[in-house]
């Protein structure tokens, strides 16, 4: 596992893999059988880790790093 891949936990990666495919927070929660609040917490954690301003910037950064794909 490369440093870029280890930035995210397995769950965070699952969430961003779904986000990049245009799923809503509610749809992600349903898909992963977790609460919407938990999904939002994971997204917030990734935003903090990457030091970006929002979901869109986090997705762009993760794409650049090769952690997620379109």
């Amino acid at each position: 596992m490369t440093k870029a891949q280890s930035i995210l936990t397995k769950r965070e990666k699952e969430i961003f893999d779904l986000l990049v495919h245009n799923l809503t927070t509610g749809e992600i929660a349903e898909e992963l059988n977790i609460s919407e609040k938990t999904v939002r917490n994971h997204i917030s954690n990734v935003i903090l880790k990457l030091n970006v301003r929002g979901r869109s910037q986090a997705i762009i950064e993760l794409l650049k790093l090769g952690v997620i794909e379109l």
Side-chain angles (χ1 to χ4, degrees):
M1 182 181 299
T2 67
K3 186 174 194 287
Q5 290 169 322
S6 66
I7 289 170
L8 302 185
T9 65
K10 181 177 181 259
R11 182 61 91 187
E12 290 167 349
K13 183 173 182 332
E14 288 174 327
I15 288 169
F16 274 84
D17 283 337
L18 294 170
L19 261 182
V20 79
H21 288 98
N22 209 29
L23 270 70
T24 66
T25 303
E27 290 167 337
I28 293 169
E30 190 173 315
E31 174 80 20
L32 299 178
N33 201 29
I34 58 178
S35 73
E36 287 188 50
K37 175 72 172 136
T38 301
V39 173
R40 288 191 301 272
N41 285 342
H42 283 300
I43 292 168
S44 294
N45 290 341
V46 172
I47 289 168
L48 287 172
K49 283 183 188 183
L50 297 174
N51 195 28
V52 294
R53 291 183 181 226
R55 292 176 186 210
S56 299
Q57 285 186 338
I59 289 169
I60 291 167
E61 193 60 33
L62 292 170
L63 287 168
K64 284 181 187 175
L65 292 169
V67 177
I68 60 173
E69 298 177 354
L70 290 175

